[in-house]
Every structure is written in C-alpha cells, then in structure tokens.
Amino acid sequence: MKVGVVVFPGSNCDRDMYHVLTDVFNINAEYFWHEKGLPKNIDAVILPGGFSYGDRLRAGVIAAHSPIINDVRKMAEKGIPVLGVCNGFQILVESGLLPGVLLKNESLNFMCKWTNLIVENNKTPFTNQFKLNEKIPIPIANGEGRYYVDDDTMKELKKKNQIVFRYSEVVNGSTNRIAGVCNEDGNVVGMMPHPERAVESDINPVDNKPSSLIFESLLTKMGVSK
Amino acid sequence: MASFIVHVTIENKPGINDPEGDTILNDLVLKGTHKTVSKIKAAKMLKFTIKEKDKKSAKSKVQEICDELRIYNPMVSKVTIDVFAVEK
Amino acid sequence: MASFIVHVTIENKPGINDPEGDTILNDLVLKGTHKTVSKIKAAKMLKFTIKEKDKKSAKSKVQEICDELRIYNPMVSKVTIDVFAVEK
Amino acid sequence: MSLEEQELDELKYKIGRNPTSTELQIVAAEWSEHCSYKSSKKHLKMLPMKGPRVINEKGYDSGVLDVGDGYVVTAHIESHNHPSAVEPYGGAATGVGGVIRDILSAGTRPIAIFDGLRFGDIEKDIHARWLFKNAVTGIADYGNCLGIPTIGGEVEFDECYENYAMVDVAAIGFGKKEHLIKNHAKKGDIVVLMGGSTGRDGIGGSQFASDSLESEDRSAVQIPDPFIEKLIIEAVLQARNDGLIHAMKDLGGGGLSCAISETADALEIGIEMDVNKVHTRESDMHPDEIMVSESQERMLIVTSIAKLKKLQEICKKFRIGCSVIGQVKSDNQVHIKKGKKTVANLAADIVANATLLDLPSKEPTYLKTIEIEKKFKPVSDYSKLLMKLIASPNIASKIWVYGQYDHEVGIRTVVKPGTDASVLRLDNGKYLSAKIDGNPKQCYINPREGAIGCFEEACRNVVCTGAKPIGMLDHLQFGNPKDPEIFWTFLESLKGLTAFAKSFEIPCVGGKVSLYNETPAGSIKPTPVIGVIGLIDKKPSVPQKISKDDCLLIIGDTKDELGGSEYFEYIHKFIGGKCPTVNFEDSKKHMKSVLNIIDKNLIKSAHDCSKGGLAIAVSEICMTNQIGCKVSLDKVPGEKLDVDRILFSESHSRYLLSFDKKNLSKIEELLKKNKVSFKQIGQFGDEKIQFIYGSKSIINLDLKKTHRIWLHALPNLVLHGKKSVQ
Ligand SMILES: Nc1ncnc2c1ncn2[C@@H]1O[C@H](COP(=O)(O)OP(=O)(O)O)[C@@H](O)[C@H]1O
Ligand SMILES: [Mg+2]
C-alpha cells in the first residue's frame, strides 16, 4: 500500500505527516510536488497542512487551481481515500471536493491549542476504528478554521451523514462546532485539527491512542493489519 | 486596446457575520468618543490593471476571472466591480 | 443629521511591495489564460455607516477615527476615503 | 547614509583618493554601528566563545553546537527594535525572517523561534498597546507561515519603552554535522543572489538601527513576505543536500554591501559583481540603492559554474529568483560594476573592518543613591495585593501571545510554552531545552548583577526541564554608547555575563549588540536579553499533574532583595532598592541538585522563582495544575524578613519542587548531602491559594477566580482596554 503526500509551495506539515506515516505506522509514503501528476498505483492521498501560497487571497484557493488537484479529483471519484488536514482541508473545500467554506476564526487570530473532537461518523476510511461519539484529544493550529455552510447545505450534510468530527466545545465559531466533514461517498475527508501532531506519546500531553485510530482506520480500510 | 483599472470589492453577503468589522466597531470606535458610527463592514479589494478594448469588456473580463478563479467564494461573499479608465 | 456610507481603502504606498497582489497575479491569474492583466494590487476596505450633518463632516470624522485609532499605519499605507449618501 | 567626518578622512587616507558615491554608500553601511560593532567589538572578545561542543567556522552568522551522534544545533539572536517601533507588524515579522536566514546560512534547518517583547506601560499607553498587538501578529504571521514553531519568549512592559518597541527574536536550527556549509570559495566561482527581488524598501535601514528614532529615515519600512522565505528555506536545504553551496550568507542590515564585503573578507577572496544582474523590483534603481537596499528574503550563495544549472532548477521549482551577479577573484577587492563601468572598487578588508572605537565610560551618578529604599505604606490586604499583581501585565498569563503562535508544527515540541523553558526532541534521541530572559528593571539598578541574574534565570528555566546548559546567546541592548554613563552600564553587563559564563563553563555561541535605543524621553534601561540552550540526554522533565497531598519544597534562600521587583515597581511605584545577586557557588549547587533529583525521577515538576517572587511562583503552579496549596511563610529558608519581603523578593537560585509525599525523604537526603539550603514549605490540596505565617492567615485566594483573572487580564487590556483588577 502506498500513500501520496501532496506538497504545495508553502505546505509546512508535509514532513510531519510523512514522518508519522512512515516512522510511526510503517506505511509506504511518497511526496508529490503540486506540478506533478499522481501515479495510478496510489492507494490514498493526503493533503497536509501549511500555508500554500502564503494563504494569499484566501487559504487554499490558489492551491486549489494546481494541476495535481485534477488527479486528486479523479482519484476521489474512483473512491480512493483522500484526507485533507488544516490547509489540506481548506484546499479540498476551495476545489469543491468538499462542501462549505473555512472563514477567519471568530477571534480573528491564529489559534494554536489543544481541544477535543467528537467522532460523528465512523464509516469513513479515516474513522472506521472509532466508536461513535468517541473523544479525541488533538491540537488545532489555524487562522481560517471556522467552518461555515448555509442552512440548506447543512440539512444535506446531516441527512447524508457528512459531518465527521465536531469540537466538544466552542472553539472558533464553526457552524454546529463542525471540525471535519466528508463528501457524499465518505471517501474524501477534511479536518482542521492535526492528527499527525497527536499520535506520538512524547508530544501528546493527554492521550495519543484515539488520534492514532485515524491512521489505523486507513490501514484497516486497506486491509493492512498493523 | 486601452488600459483600465478595475476595482473588485469582495465582501460578505448580507446575513453572513463579519467579526472583523464588528470588532473594529465595538472595541475601537465605540470605546472612544465616536458615537455617530453605527456599523463597520470589512471588505477586501483587488485593483486590477487590464488592457481591453473598452470599459465594458474590461468589466466582463474581470468578472469572468473572478468567477472562474474563485477570487471570491460565492457561498459567503459577493463582488462589486468598478471600472476606471487610466488617465494618460 | 443624515446617514452616510464612507469607504476607507487602505493599501500599501506606491513603491512598497505588495506580496499578496503579486502572488494572486502570478500564481493564479497569469497561470490561466488571462494574459491581459498586468498588475494586481491588494487593498483592504472598511465601510463605515455614520450619521453626520453633511458629506464633508462625515469624511473628516472618519479620517479622524482612522488616524486616532491607528486603523492604518501612515508609514506603510495610504488611505482613500470616499463618501456616499445613503439612499432612502 | 553618511560617514562621520573623521571616518571619511580615514577612508580617503586608506584608499588614497576620493571615494565614489557608491563607495561612500557601501562603506557607510558597513561602518555603521549595526554592521561593524565598532563601539562594542573590542570588549565582546572577553566573552568565552570556546567549548568542547562549539564548532567554529569562518563566516558563520550563527553559533554551532555539537549535540552528538553526528548532529549539530545552531542558534542566533537578533533584534528589530527601531523598525518595530515605526511599523510593529512588519518590523517584528522581518525580525523573525532575518534571524531564520542566519540559521539557514550555516546549512541547518530552523526548528524553533523565541521572541522577547518589550513595550511601554500598556495600562496607560494606547500606543504601546497598538505596538504590542501588532508586533505579536507580525511574529505569528511570519513564523506560522514558515512552519517553524515559536516555542517561547517573554513579554514585559516598562515606562522606559514609551513610544518604542524592543523586539528580540532568537532561533534554533538543527542538522547533520556533515551538512554544515564549509564556507570556502576559489577563483572562478560564481556569486548568486537568490530569493526575492531587490527594491527600494529598507533603504537606510541599518543606519537607521544605529541612529536614534528622532532622526529616523522613515522610508526604512520593510514589508514581510514569509511565503518567499519558506520557499528559500526549502530551496537552500535542497541545494545543501545536493552539495551545491560553497559558501552562503544571508542579506541583512546593509544589504548587498555588507554581504559582499563580509564574504570577501571572511573567505579572503575578491568579488566582482554587476548591479545590472541583480533582479530588481523597479527598473530605475541607482547602483547605490541596489547596494544598500535591505529588501528581505534574499541569500547570497557562492557556487561553481558546473553546479549553477542544478541550483537554477531548484530555484525554478520553488519559483524564486536566482541571478548570477558576480564572480570570485583572487585579488581581495570588492569590485562593483554597472555593466562595463566600475562604480566601486575597494579592498574588502578596508570595507569590512571599521576602525574600532574605545569609548570612554563612567559610572552613572544615579547609581550612587539607587539602593536607598523609601518607606512604604503598610499593606492592609495581601490577598487583594496578590490578585492585583496576578492581573498585572508583566505577571498575567502570556497565553494570549503564544496561543497565536503555532508552537507544535515540526512535531518536536515536547514541553510546550506556558511554564518555564520549552523542550524539543531531536533526531538523535536527545532533547533540547531553551529559554530567553531579560530583566531591565534589575539591570537598571545594577547593570552587572542584573545581567548575571538574566543569565541565571534562563539557566534556571532550562534546568527545570532537566537540561544542562550547554550554550548561551547574549543580546546587549543599550542607549547611546557615546554617553559614557550608558557605555559604563554596557561594560558592566558584559563583564557580569563574562564572569558567569566562565565560572559555569557555558560558552557564548552567539549574540548581538543593539545600541542607540533611545526614546524621546531618553535612553531605555539597560536591556540585555540572554538565551540559554540546554541538552537532555535521557528524558526531559515534562510537568506531571500535581494532586492532593503532594508536597511543595523550596531550594535556596529568600533574601532582602526587592530592588527592581514587580512588588516595588508595580505596587509601590518605586524604582530602587537592592537588586538580587547570584552567589555562584550556591547557584551551581542548586542546578546540580535539581538536575540530580529530576534524573532520579523524584518529582512531578520543578518551577523557578523569578518575577513576582515566591507568591507568584506558587500561584502559577497552583493555576496551571488546577489545585490549591497552603504555604507556610515562616518556614521559608533565609534571613528573617517581613512578610511582604518573603512573598515578593526576587532572589535568584530558587526552585520550587512539587512531588509525591513518598519521595520527600529521598529528596531531603540528596539536598542535605549537597549542602543545599531548602525546606518543605507547603502542601497541595483544596481550591485555595493560601499563605500563612505561623497560624496567621496572610493570603487566601479562590483558585478558580484567580486563574480566570490571570488568563484573561492581558487580552482584556489589549483588546478591550479593560483592567481586570483595580
Ligand atoms: N512572547 C512570547 N512568546 C512565546 N512564548 C512566551 C512569550 N512570553 C511568554 N511566553 C511563554 O510563557 C511562559 C512564561 O513566561 P515567563 O513568565 O517569561 O517565564 P519565566 O518567568 O519562567 O522566565 C514561558 O513558557 C514562555 O516561553
Ligand atoms: Mg521560570
């Protein structure tokens, strides 16, 4: 099994994600520069966090026009698991692969802090090892992380079980405390918090087990037992 | 072909809250002595310099760019486009 | 007293670089098929709603607020203030 | 930009002719205080710079420490005071950018940022609030975008910085020893300018840092572009991995003038360059402007013609500029041309080595009476007083600041900001701990002991995480050096730091001098800021949650040393008294003992006693652990003192250890053996912060309420102009 880590100019969590995939979970991972295409033999794609194009205009919007996004789109249509974390989530939203938008936090500031997620959908390739409503201690670090959708879309999201994670408390003003969503098929997931920062016990001050399940879910989906 | 300056103003649609404008209003303006201000709305502006045959095509070209490249996010924002001829 | 909408446009002074405008131009607009655009400048706009006796005092009041509260830094940015009467 | 008259004469004498206008600009930039260190250099030599871990190579802008297993750590500190006072957002941001490029130029990846921020009294001064708020945003926007965690720092407010801003930034890098750039060049090599374009911004900048603010050149505003800097970092590290870099220097103060002349001088080569080859932002730039422009986000790289193509490919991938601007010659000349025409041609060593000054110094007269204390009104309610102190800007939690900084990116941050020093994990299984500290209030009262105190405090913070200090960075910030009284305070601080560094065998691996820090009201207080780097071989001491019945023990004597304390200055509005001094022998014993105890895994956490004294240190432990504590002031070791002095004295070398009762005897035994003065003074439990003397209650505060006030005091003040406690 092989996971592609997409790198844009300004991505800065790519190396963290790569480290976690390879050193912690023993997954075969490879970087893909945004101008390149993705090969056919990729089993999952991750868009890591960072500041693609310096977050100019709006976080994620310029990267959403990168050539590689066409390939990501094709893979998404084929049902291949795609995960966007933080800026990766913003890019997925701006490229239309996920619904909604991410606005400036209500505090108007960048926020770096630990919070808790609640799992709302345990059917995705990244959440199949969770119990519903399970709590995940995890850090967030973003300036534009306030998830917003209009009322009609929200109804759709609920109906189609597209809300994947919620914050356990009000963090940044997100609609319905949404922290992560998926597409209708459930194979494309975006989340603002950083699972790659929470899976190792020496940098996780609370409990690294829950966030590890995000990666173990992927392994399970691929039929790899750890 | 002539040069035009096109102002693109991107602002939140009515009904979408604007914490930035509200904060400037509440924490700065109304804290002081400026009670005649009743609302502040924050927006972003991009000034394009573009060569097109006339005002009209300058405007439609920029509108096209804004829609196609998602210069604004239609779910939350709207744009206003104003064209000015460049003085020689 | 009448209501006015006052637009405050804040942009980098000429000669000071504008990385945001440059990135939007080079990495977004010019990457596509829109070659007639030669420059993009990013600016910020605040739209004030204010009650003053006339246009002139609306303008000077907003200018005063911006200076006093340091809404912009005169060292780097220039502001343009435009006043519009609110249609009833 | 101008040279002083005798400097101009000297230049004419040295080159035997009248300089051209470009030569004048180049020399004026390079001979400015900021670039040449002409006032301080002679004296800086006293600092010990060598040590078993220190790696010295010519032309490094940052210190290099060997941390074993083939890895090195680099470190540097800089300030951006003048630019931040004028444009706090851009000034602070480009300050981060500059120090990051220093780390990069050694060939290491930047892995951490620290920021020291000082402004006027934000309770009264709206302008100081504006400066503070924007400087924090500037640092956040820059560091966050780079993906380098800002993991620590300090924030302080003092009236002496009215209308001014002190923004210090330190950075740490990490890499393989074999990847260090060896800085060499030979005839025929080429000189490449990489990164952003050269514009008119920042013209006059480094001169500006050496002038007082009144005569500032207001065009010296720099616009930060962290996105380009991020691309430069990745491009440079790629080029490093591919072995494409012979020598490298970042462009900082003085722009190309300094980079070219210092590179030529350090490598003992000549450089011939053509200003027409520089990629400029505007088409009509004069050679003088190109040579002194301080446009940010640029690096100078020396490579060979054979390697150029690969370097250009890398730059193209990362969409950054890459211009061949010159060649290496064997004549030791800095030869600047515009096309075919020579605009400057000077010997590199003349440009790069300004004549060093030996400025006069004289003990300031104010020091003669500063230790005399005045009588204060007796305190009627210590609970209220402590609450007021907890809500004061200098003591209140700084979470509003570091919460805006991504301090987790890079996934190394083991101990996060919020307690003492922060800790990073390294790739060789070891851990790095670091903290910066300053204390202008104490340095004003006693420049020597104050500076030593900053050094010891930074060490203490690092020791609290279980790390042994292995290197120090000093940043010496003072007023106008031509004033003999100010220069005396500079020398005293330097001598103090030197004595401490030598005695503790902590080499100085880098530093910076920033002079002419003056406000319209006069000179700032002496503001040395000291960074200490510590190394942990095994496990760091990550604070564990304290629970009911755990013990609190203090190491070190509390002395009658309240000069410069928050208690004197904030509560009594009094500047003066006796400043705390460090007893070197005690200090060493205490460090050793704390490290010993941590090593034996006997405690849950260690916290040092500093700003605000014992009362604040205990409160901080309670608040961060969400548990109350009852402390007996009569048990606190030291001479017999009044209650307020025990509570608020800022005596050094003190540590508070929190641990499970069962370890008490082992800890006591170890401390006795090490002949350390200590005492168990309290016990945790309940939801009250309590201080008693004998059976008398002195302070009794509700934990939850105190915690809330501590957390929100700073944002309430900065964002809403609201004081939390009157
Ligand atoms: N400007 C800042 N940037 C980042 N972290 C900060 C800043 N100011 C304070 N902190 C963090 O807050 C905590 C408390 O700071 P401080 O009171 O200076 O510590 P100490 O008294 O131990 O030196 C530390 O972890 C410190 O790194
Ligand atoms: Mg401390």
Side-chain angles (χ1 to χ4, degrees):
Chain A
M1 151 181 177
K2 190 171 202 173
V3 177
V5 176
V6 182
V7 186
F8 300 92
S11 293
N12 65 31
C13 304
D14 45 334
R15 300 168 66 250
D16 299 354
M17 186 60 83
Y18 184 88
H19 160 78
V20 163
L21 291 171
T22 55
D23 299 338
V24 181
F25 294 99
N26 254 316
I27 296 171
N28 182 9
E30 190 179 334
Y31 293 117
F32 289 95
W33 185 241
H34 72 119
E35 287 171 326
K36 281 214 298 208
L38 287 170
K40 295 255 168 350
N41 64 344
I42 292 285
D43 302 296
V45 181
I46 299 186
L47 282 69
F51 282 71
S52 58
Y53 293 97
D55 265 6
R56 274 154 200 173
L57 188 55
R58 259 191 338 272
V61 64
I62 299 182
H65 291 86
S66 277
I68 205 165
I69 293 298
N70 292 329
D71 285 6
V72 174
R73 198 183 307 273
K74 277 184 216 143
M75 301 209 150
E77 279 161 10
K78 276 197 285 183
I80 287 173
V82 175
L83 175 69
V85 170
C86 201
N87 190 233
F89 183 18
Q90 293 163 335
I91 295 169
L92 289 176
V93 157
E94 287 293 347
S95 54
L97 280 160
L98 288 175
V101 297
L102 290 150
L103 304 174
K104 237 185 209 176
N105 293 333
E106 221 149 48
S107 69
L108 302 177
N109 287 332
F110 190 95
M111 296 171 76
C112 178
K113 63 177 254 183
W114 281 72
T115 178
N116 289 299
L117 288 185
I118 308 291
V119 178
E120 298 277 331
N121 171 344
N122 62 354
K123 301 277 187 298
T124 79
F126 302 96
T127 53
N128 59 44
Q129 295 300 297
F130 289 99
K131 292 196 260 315
L132 268 188
N133 297 321
E134 197 169 336
K135 219 163 139 177
I136 314 175
I138 200 164
I140 53 162
N142 60 64
E144 296 177 29
R146 177 162 57 105
Y147 188 76
Y148 173 84
V149 278
D150 51 34
D151 294 346
D152 291 342
T153 320
M154 180 56 87
K155 281 198 197 107
E156 289 289 301
L157 289 187
K158 282 186 181 157
K159 208 168 84 195
K160 294 177 177 148
N161 199 18
Q162 285 179 260
I163 300 168
V164 181
F165 300 113
R166 260 187 237 270
Y167 300 109
S168 67
E169 49 174 356
V170 173
V171 165
N172 55 10
S174 287
T175 313
N176 282 330
R177 302 201 314 268
I178 288 176
V181 296
C182 62
N183 62 350
E184 284 186 28
D185 294 339
N187 64 315
V188 180
V189 174
M191 63 192 295
M192 283 319 288
H194 286 273
E196 79 281 10
R197 299 183 182 186
V199 295
E200 290 171 279
S201 59
D202 57 352
I203 53 167
N204 183 328
V206 199
D207 182 3
N208 67 313
K209 295 276 163 18
S211 50
S212 298
L213 294 178
I214 292 176
F215 295 93
E216 283 168 22
S217 295
L218 179 62
L219 286 167
T220 307
K221 164 85 187 170
M222 311 279 47
V224 184
S225 54
K226 224 205 136 187
Chain B
M1 290 301 228
S3 264
F4 297 93
I5 302 280
V6 185
H7 289 189
V8 176
T9 313
I10 308 163
E11 62 192 309
N12 285 0
K13 284 183 183 166
I16 306 268
N17 68 341
D18 170 26
E20 192 166 357
D22 293 348
T23 304
I24 299 178
L25 179 69
N26 297 323
D27 281 335
L28 285 173
V29 178
L30 296 183
K31 281 274 162 60
T33 51
H34 311 285
K35 310 293 180 193
T36 54
V37 181
S38 61
K39 190 170 174 57
I40 296 181
K41 231 182 140 175
K44 181 163 192 145
M45 188 191 263
L46 297 176
K47 298 183 172 182
F48 285 66
T49 309
I50 192 169
K51 267 206 173 64
E52 290 290 332
K53 65 176 191 297
D54 55 25
K55 251 186 145 164
K56 203 172 139 227
S57 67
K59 180 164 180 169
S60 64
K61 184 74 194 174
V62 170
Q63 178 76 55
E64 186 193 320
I65 290 175
C66 287
D67 294 339
E68 184 191 314
L69 299 178
R70 287 176 56 102
I71 296 284
Y72 68 104
N73 187 329
M75 185 178 278
V76 272
S77 13
K78 61 167 198 180
V79 286
T80 325
I81 298 182
D82 300 297
V83 187
F84 305 87
V86 174
E87 290 123 53
K88 296 275 153 65
Chain C
M1 291 299 227
S3 264
F4 298 91
I5 301 280
V6 185
H7 289 190
V8 178
T9 314
I10 306 163
E11 62 194 307
N12 284 1
K13 284 181 179 167
I16 293 189
N17 59 334
D18 170 25
E20 173 150 35
D22 291 349
T23 309
I24 299 173
L25 177 69
N26 296 317
D27 293 308
L28 191 59
V29 176
L30 294 184
K31 282 263 171 77
T33 50
H34 312 285
K35 310 293 180 194
T36 54
V37 181
S38 61
K39 192 174 168 59
I40 295 180
K41 222 179 148 176
K44 179 171 186 147
M45 188 190 263
L46 295 174
K47 298 184 170 181
F48 286 67
T49 309
I50 192 169
K51 269 208 172 62
E52 289 288 331
K53 66 174 189 298
D54 54 24
K55 256 188 144 165
K56 208 176 133 216
S57 67
K59 180 167 180 166
S60 65
K61 185 72 191 179
V62 169
Q63 177 81 56
E64 189 191 316
I65 291 174
C66 291
D67 293 342
E68 188 190 311
L69 301 177
R70 289 218 156 223
I71 301 265
Y72 71 104
N73 186 351
M75 220 65 77
V76 244
S77 322
K78 71 164 203 196
V79 291
T80 326
I81 299 184
D82 300 297
V83 187
F84 307 88
V86 174
E87 291 121 53
K88 295 275 156 61
Chain D
M1 281 256 179
S2 58
L3 286 172
E4 282 178 28
E5 210 176 294
Q6 90 270 9
E7 288 177 325
L8 182 61
D9 290 341
E10 188 189 329
L11 177 63
K12 284 184 189 163
Y13 173 77
K14 282 186 172 163
I15 63 175
R17 60 181 165 84
N18 277 328
T20 66
S21 88
T22 309
E23 287 172 345
L24 265 179
Q25 292 292 327
I26 293 173
V27 173
E30 184 59 42
W31 288 9
S32 71
E33 188 66 56
H34 183 78
C35 294
S36 71
Y37 288 79
K38 58 191 169 193
S39 306
S40 59
K41 204 169 198 166
K42 275 198 173 152
H43 306 286
L44 291 176
K45 292 197 183 102
M46 73 173 81
L47 284 164
M49 309 259 188
K50 293 214 166 73
R53 293 184 183 277
V54 181
I55 298 175
N56 262 309
E57 279 269 357
K58 56 191 173 187
Y60 279 167
D61 287 336
S62 52
V64 185
L65 286 163
D66 191 329
V67 291
D69 312 300
Y71 288 98
V72 293
V73 157
T74 53
H76 194 56
I77 190 164
E78 281 269 5
S79 62
H80 232 198
N81 302 337
H82 288 83
S84 301
V86 177
E87 211 311 78
Y89 178 85
T94 51
V96 174
V99 74
I100 289 301
R101 291 192 300 281
D102 286 322
I103 295 299
L104 190 60
S105 51
T108 51
R109 180 181 280 278
I111 59 165
I113 300 168
F114 292 81
D115 63 323
L117 305 175
R118 293 189 161 75
F119 305 92
D121 178 355
I122 55 162
E123 289 192 320
K124 290 191 229 139
D125 180 351
I126 297 176
H127 185 65
R129 237 175 258 165
W130 176 81
L131 287 166
F132 174 45
K133 190 175 161 205
N134 284 284
V136 169
T137 317
I139 289 167
D141 282 359
Y142 208 96
N144 295 346
C145 185
L146 293 185
I148 302 169
T150 302
I151 60 165
E154 31 153 25
V155 177
E156 186 170 18
F157 306 96
D158 189 293
E159 264 175 10
C160 79
Y161 307 115
E162 192 179 344
N163 279 312
Y164 200 60
M166 305 288 283
V167 175
D168 298 340
V169 190
I172 291 180
F174 182 65
K176 293 212 176 106
K177 196 171 169 180
E178 67 191 35
H179 276 154
L180 283 171
I181 304 295
K182 290 278 184 292
N183 281 326
H184 66 284
K186 61 177 191 302
K187 193 176 158 210
D189 278 356
I190 51 176
V191 180
V192 174
L193 183 63
M194 173 173 162
S197 58
T198 300
R200 286 205 171 85
D201 40 3
I203 288 192
S206 79
Q207 264 250 315
F208 169 65
S210 308
D211 287 343
S212 60
L213 205 54
E214 291 151 77
S215 59
E216 81 204 13
D217 175 356
R218 295 197 171 237
S219 72
V221 169
Q222 293 149 342
I223 301 296
D225 189 346
F227 175 47
I228 293 243
E229 179 109 341
K230 168 68 178 166
L231 299 175
I232 290 176
I233 293 173
E234 298 309 327
V236 163
L237 293 177
Q238 178 71 56
R240 172 203 71 178
N241 290 347
D242 295 348
L244 305 179
I245 303 171
H246 294 184
M248 177 159 54
K249 185 156 186 76
D250 84 295
L251 276 83
L256 273 170
S257 293
C258 293
I260 294 274
S261 59
E262 286 172 21
T263 301
D265 185 52
L267 305 186
E268 296 172 356
I269 53 171
I271 293 179
E272 183 183 299
M273 71 158 270
D274 181 355
V275 293
N276 284 347
K277 300 280 166 59
V278 173
H279 50 287
T280 55
R281 195 172 309 135
E282 289 158 83
S283 55
D284 57 341
M285 283 178 70
H286 190 272
D288 299 11
E289 292 181 308
I290 293 173
M291 290 310 293
V292 299
S293 157
E294 294 190 349
S295 287
Q296 299 288 305
E297 293 101 14
R298 297 180 299 163
M299 298 290 283
L300 193 74
I301 288 177
V302 180
T303 186
S304 67
I305 294 177
K307 293 172 180 168
L308 177 64
K309 199 160 155 266
K310 266 186 121 179
L311 186 63
Q312 282 169 328
E313 273 165 19
I314 292 172
C315 289
K316 185 157 171 256
K317 171 179 173 188
F318 290 102
R319 54 175 291 302
I320 51 178
C322 175
S323 318
V324 178
I325 60 167
Q327 294 108 46
V328 173
K329 300 274 168 183
S330 52
D331 58 3
N332 296 341
Q333 289 286 113
V334 171
H335 187 175
I336 314 297
K337 304 204 295 189
K338 180 177 168 58
K340 291 227 155 62
K341 190 173 154 239
T342 290
V343 292
N345 193 351
L346 296 165
D349 72 319
I350 294 181
V351 187
N353 298 293
T355 301
L356 303 184
L357 307 177
D358 214 342
L359 296 172
S361 70
K362 174 175 158 284
E363 181 172 356
T365 42
Y366 79 84
L367 286 179
K368 302 219 156 56
T369 51
I370 195 87
E371 291 199 349
I372 302 167
E373 280 184 24
K374 82 175 192 204
K375 262 244 159 306
F376 304 118
K377 273 206 311 264
V379 175
S380 58
D381 184 343
Y382 278 107
S383 293
K384 230 168 109 187
L385 191 155
L386 179 58
M387 191 64 108
K388 190 172 166 185
L389 213 46
I390 280 173
S392 71
N394 283 342
I395 305 267
S397 167
K398 304 301 180 292
I399 193 166
W400 180 76
V401 178
Y402 63 74
Q404 295 184 50
Y405 301 156
D406 189 343
H407 45 77
E408 309 256 3
V409 61
I411 48 174
R412 294 183 182 279
T413 321
V414 174
V415 177
K416 317 195 191 270
T419 49
D420 293 311
S422 300
V423 176
L424 297 172
R425 55 178 184 177
L426 301 179
D427 300 8
N428 59 352
K430 293 179 182 168
Y431 296 83
L432 196 77
S433 171
K435 181 75 172 79
I436 57 172
D437 277 300
N439 194 325
K441 294 183 199 302
Q442 293 179 5
C443 291
Y444 177 74
I445 290 174
N446 189 328
R448 183 188 167 97
E449 295 300 337
I452 291 175
C454 300
F455 198 164
E456 211 239 6
E457 188 189 342
C459 287
R460 267 176 358 238
N461 280 319
V462 160
V463 164
C464 284
T465 66
K468 185 178 179 309
I470 58 166
M472 170 273 248
L473 298 167
D474 67 302
H475 192 354
L476 304 172
Q477 306 173 101
F478 293 82
N480 184 342
K482 304 231 165 90
D483 177 337
E485 296 200 339
I486 287 176
F487 200 64
W488 187 88
T489 64
F490 166 81
L491 287 177
E492 277 297 297
S493 293
L494 183 57
K495 285 175 192 163
L497 296 174
T498 305
F500 191 91
K502 283 189 171 152
S503 172
F504 286 71
E505 295 178 18
I506 303 172
C508 169
V509 296
K512 179 86 203 162
V513 178
S514 165
L515 301 171
Y516 299 95
N517 290 289
E518 314 248 314
T519 75
S523 171
I524 60 157
K525 288 178 178 174
T527 312
V529 169
I530 308 301
V532 167
I533 298 166
L535 195 64
I536 305 164
D537 284 329
K538 284 194 270 168
K539 274 263 153 221
S541 166
V542 180
Q544 287 160 261
K545 195 121 183 119
I546 296 169
S547 35
K548 192 167 162 4
D549 295 332
D550 283 351
C551 300
L552 179 72
L553 178 147
I554 188 168
I555 290 180
D557 285 340
T558 299
K559 302 171 197 160
D560 190 5
E561 298 175 319
L562 284 98
S565 65
E566 287 301 313
Y567 174 65
F568 272 14
E569 303 226 353
Y570 187 77
I571 301 292
H572 294 295
K573 309 288 171 224
F574 172 65
I575 298 178
K578 201 176 156 312
C579 144
T581 60
V582 176
N583 176 312
F584 286 12
E585 289 323 304
D586 286 348
S587 171
K588 282 182 201 164
K589 266 192 313 202
H590 297 183
M591 285 186 202
K592 199 179 123 208
S593 305
V594 173
L595 289 177
N596 237 300
I597 288 168
I598 290 175
D599 197 43
K600 294 201 157 60
N601 222 343
L602 294 173
I603 56 169
K604 291 192 165 175
S605 72
H607 185 41
D608 76 311
C609 241
S610 52
K611 215 174 255 309
L614 176 65
I616 293 299
V618 170
S619 307
E620 285 170 348
I621 296 175
C622 291
M623 291 185 289
T624 48
N625 284 279
Q626 299 279 340
I627 192 165
C629 188
K630 191 177 199 173
V631 175
S632 306
L633 293 173
D634 45 306
K635 291 193 185 149
V636 174
E639 52 198 292
K640 195 165 164 40
L641 298 175
D642 289 346
V643 164
D644 61 341
R645 306 211 165 217
I646 305 175
L647 284 168
F648 303 114
S649 166
E650 296 182 9
S651 290
H652 294 302
S653 314
R654 293 181 301 162
Y655 300 82
L656 289 168
L657 308 183
S658 311
F659 49 87
D660 191 315
K661 212 162 48 186
K662 71 173 196 274
N663 290 332
L664 178 63
S665 57
K666 277 192 200 140
I667 291 172
E668 285 183 328
E669 200 180 305
L670 192 149
L671 291 172
K672 269 186 205 136
K673 200 179 97 216
N674 288 356
K675 300 203 169 52
V676 165
S677 170
F678 73 95
K679 198 92 191 172
Q680 192 211 328
I681 55 169
Q683 196 150 45
F684 292 95
D686 301 334
E687 300 230 312
K688 301 270 180 215
I689 301 171
Q690 294 184 72
F691 292 87
I692 55 172
Y693 196 102
S695 58
K696 192 168 160 235
S697 168
I698 308 288
I699 291 176
N700 191 344
L701 288 180
D702 178 68
L703 176 72
K704 288 227 165 75
K705 182 173 171 221
T706 315
H707 189 209
R708 211 167 41 238
I709 286 180
W710 184 64
L711 284 182
H712 298 300
L714 203 57
N716 274 343
L717 198 55
V718 183
L719 301 179
H720 314 296
K722 261 200 333 238
K723 258 174 127 171
S724 297
V725 172
Q726 287 309 315

